[in-house]
Amino acid sequence: MNTGFQTRKFKGGAYTTVLSALVIFLLLLINLVVSGVAHTKDLTNTGTYSLKEDTLSFLKDYDTPIELYYISEMGKESVVISSTAENFALNGKQINLTYKDPVQYPQFVYQYNDMGEIHNNSIIVVNGNDPDRYVYIDADRMFVKSVDVSTFKETTIGYCAEAELMKALVKVSETEKSTVYVAMGHEEQLVSTEQMLTIDLSNLLALNSYSVRFIDLKKSTVPEDCDALLLIGPVADFSEEEGEQIKDYMTNGGKVVWFLAYTGVRRPVQESLLSYYGLKMEDGFLCEGDTNRTSSGKPNYVLSAYGRKNVLWPLGAGVSVLPNLRDSLTVSREVTTSDKAYIRKDVSSLLYEEGNLRGTFSLLTKVSETYHNKTGIMYVFNTYLFVHKNCIGTSAYANAEVFTKCLGELCEKSNVITVPNTDAFEEGLKMTTHQKNMILIVLVGVIPGIILLLGIAMVIKRRR
């Protein structure tokens, strides 16, 4: 009996059996690992199923008990929105997530929303310590829609569930808001006549717990509760009285953020006000001569570095610092172009020509002046498009971080939050082509190759 186990035929069969079992085991193991990755690892290029770094940092220190109620009929949950809610509960030590079917619990939902129809994938955020403080987030607010004007067909182009949840957490736990006033009456850009900001800018301010109010400087002075005054691309000139009022506000320790709008038309009061604070807006559009610091090869779309990201300064003005500043005035060029930048008056061509003003221009300037122990501070951005949705509504650029950092400094906020929208695509988790190819190479090439080499080595050893 023992002799049969020593035959070449038995040994060969045993080797084949062990090798086959090993191959099957490895294939099952790889399948389990890959399946696990597909369910727990975000494989999308845009991080659709992951929280942004700012959000994770915020949740790490967030200590208010929160009940998140996800409202949806069973089987009708949005993969993106439900994943976002689950990530909040996973990363927030005080956040508890509960799914509620509105068909089974209609009264529960209506106590938080008495507007009538309840949409699937809505979320209720409730302060655990004070249930009367809650925010109802309708599903429509978490989808970014685009409408084709020719067919009136509505398409989902993005998601903002993360930003909406962040705003809700701030709102139900905040103790005090900072108040910013937005100047009106000068054809300000990104500001509607209905006294509304663009959605992305409004969301960014709400996310950082700012209360936004509007003011016509022709009709009233800057209120005492104004933590910062925003001048967002004023096209029309200020009146003499308005110019003096802004100076008085700064003299009394006021804080101003001014986004310039170059028009090619003289605006004497604006020019005088800039000059008073040591700045000059050059006559012409700013172009960057260093192609490594431009976007898509466009000289008038200037880039600057900010950590691991770029900041985009589109269609801006060239700002220079005047000589012979008064002793009480401090002017700091926070962000500048390269020394190859130039000014173009004729935009039929953006290429540099002999005679164009050339040099280093300021993109972001900080002006401060102390008078009677009160320090007024003004940040001057060279373009109002700095806070356009294409700049602050995307994770590609750090514009939102720069703006909120500057405003936060003026309003004495220690932390700032920025959460851009996420691009939309099919909700199923998908691997990139590169990831698929790598797994294919491992399964088809590397593992069989290793097994083949092991087999050859065993055969050679046996024959010896």
Side-chain angles (χ1 to χ4, degrees):
M1 188 73 174
N2 292 337
T3 306
F5 288 109
Q6 303 299 323
T7 62
R8 180 182 294 272
K9 183 176 181 181
F10 177 81
K11 289 182 178 180
Y15 166 73
T16 303
T17 301
V18 171
L19 192 61
S20 299
L22 180 61
V23 170
I24 293 171
F25 173 75
L26 287 173
L27 289 175
L28 288 173
L29 181 62
I30 291 168
N31 183 59
L32 288 172
V33 171
V34 171
S35 298
V37 168
H39 286 88
T40 61
K41 180 71 174 178
D42 187 347
L43 301 176
T44 63
N45 289 328
T46 55
T48 302
Y49 301 92
S50 304
L51 299 181
K52 306 299 185 294
E53 289 183 12
D54 274 2
T55 303
L56 293 173
S57 177
F58 174 84
L59 292 175
K60 183 179 178 181
D61 300 321
Y62 190 79
D63 57 3
T64 303
I66 293 294
E67 293 294 331
L68 282 187
Y69 296 105
Y70 193 101
I71 311 302
S72 181
E73 297 177 49
M74 187 175 295
K76 295 186 178 181
E77 300 88 352
S78 161
V79 176
V80 174
I81 296 178
S82 62
S83 296
T84 301
E86 289 171 2
N87 280 332
F88 268 78
L90 180 65
N91 291 280
K93 57 187 177 183
Q94 296 270 41
I95 299 176
N96 180 55
L97 174 63
T98 304
Y99 282 81
K100 288 285 187 180
D101 189 326
V103 176
Q104 298 182 30
Y105 304 97
Q107 295 303 317
F108 172 83
V109 177
Y110 281 117
Q111 69 177 311
Y112 296 104
N113 177 40
D114 57 0
M115 300 300 291
E117 185 178 0
I118 302 295
H119 297 119
N120 286 319
N121 301 299
S122 299
I123 296 178
I124 302 168
V125 181
V126 183
N127 185 319
N129 291 330
D130 184 1
D132 289 333
R133 299 183 68 178
Y134 63 86
V135 174
Y136 175 83
I137 310 173
D138 192 81
D140 285 344
R141 284 167 50 191
M142 291 182 279
F143 291 91
V144 182
K145 303 285 188 177
S146 176
V147 179
D148 187 326
V149 294
S150 60
T151 63
F152 295 100
K153 182 179 180 181
E154 194 174 61
T155 306
T156 298
I157 61 172
Y159 304 97
C160 53
E162 186 174 347
E164 289 296 327
L165 277 168
M166 286 286 283
K167 284 163 52 181
L169 291 179
V170 169
K171 186 171 183 178
V172 298
S173 62
E174 67 189 3
T175 55
E176 186 176 350
K177 279 188 174 185
S178 296
T179 303
V180 295
Y181 279 80
V182 178
M184 298 286 292
H186 314 93
E187 301 175 40
E188 280 79 7
Q189 304 301 292
L190 310 183
V191 184
S192 72
T193 54
E194 292 79 20
Q195 296 191 355
M196 293 179 62
L197 298 175
T198 59
I199 293 176
D200 294 274
L201 183 52
S202 179
N203 283 342
L204 185 59
L205 291 169
L207 196 60
N208 286 276
S209 194
Y210 288 104
S211 176
V212 180
R213 298 177 185 175
F214 296 84
I215 182 172
D216 188 337
L217 295 175
K218 296 184 182 69
K219 300 177 181 178
S220 61
T221 59
V222 181
E224 291 185 0
D225 68 340
C226 178
D227 293 299
L229 175 65
L230 304 186
L231 309 174
I232 307 178
V235 171
D237 201 6
F238 302 136
S239 66
E240 293 283 354
E241 292 75 19
E242 288 174 305
E244 290 300 320
Q245 186 180 161
I246 294 172
K247 285 183 187 178
D248 291 341
Y249 175 63
M250 283 280 289
T251 299
N252 286 296
K255 309 298 189 290
V256 178
V257 181
W258 188 352
F259 295 94
L260 299 179
Y262 176 73
T263 64
V265 177
R266 292 290 308 276
R267 288 166 293 180
V269 178
Q270 286 195 32
E271 293 170 18
S272 174
L273 189 59
L274 284 171
S275 178
Y276 182 78
Y277 290 109
L279 301 178
K280 177 185 179 183
M281 181 163 47
E282 302 292 350
D283 186 15
F285 280 102
L286 176 66
C287 294
E288 175 59 75
D290 183 348
T291 56
N292 292 320
R293 299 186 59 176
T294 61
S295 174
S296 304
K298 299 176 181 177
N300 53 348
Y301 281 69
V302 183
L303 294 176
S304 66
Y306 185 84
R308 292 177 294 174
K309 292 183 182 180
N310 283 322
V311 182
L312 181 61
W313 310 79
L315 306 175
V319 177
S320 301
V321 178
L322 298 173
N324 304 320
L325 302 176
R326 58 184 177 276
D327 293 338
S328 60
L329 190 65
T330 301
V331 178
S332 173
R333 301 201 299 177
E334 302 290 296
V335 184
T336 65
T337 65
S338 74
D339 58 4
K340 297 179 181 179
Y342 53 95
I343 303 296
R344 286 285 313 191
K345 295 182 182 180
D346 179 9
V347 293
S348 59
S349 171
L350 294 175
L351 298 177
Y352 174 76
E353 293 180 355
E354 195 68 33
N356 291 154
L357 180 63
R358 193 162 205 169
T360 303
F361 300 94
S362 184
L363 300 171
L364 173 60
T365 314
K366 180 180 180 181
V367 177
S368 62
E369 185 167 28
T370 302
Y371 186 75
H372 287 175
N373 296 320
K374 295 180 180 179
T375 301
I377 301 175
M378 177 187 292
Y379 272 109
V380 180
F381 290 76
N382 82 318
T383 171
Y384 70 88
L385 291 171
F386 187 91
V387 284
H388 187 271
K389 65 178 181 180
N390 293 338
C391 296
I392 63 170
T394 172
S395 58
Y397 301 114
N399 291 42
E401 288 94 321
V402 173
F403 168 54
T404 51
K405 181 177 179 242
C406 292
L407 186 58
E409 177 195 329
L410 300 185
C411 297
E412 299 181 353
K413 285 182 175 285
S414 56
N415 297 310
V416 295
I417 307 167
T418 57
V419 182
N421 296 335
T422 302
D423 293 336
F425 60 97
E426 293 182 15
E427 290 192 342
L429 289 177
K430 292 187 176 182
M431 298 182 186
T432 64
T433 302
H434 175 71
Q435 291 166 335
K436 290 179 181 177
N437 291 338
M438 290 300 296
I439 292 177
L440 185 63
I441 290 171
V442 171
L443 291 177
V444 178
V446 176
I447 293 177
I450 292 173
I451 295 173
L452 179 61
L453 290 174
L454 289 173
I456 293 172
M458 292 180 67
V459 170
I460 292 175
K461 183 177 180 181
R462 287 174 55 209
R463 288 185 176 179
R464 287 179 178 176

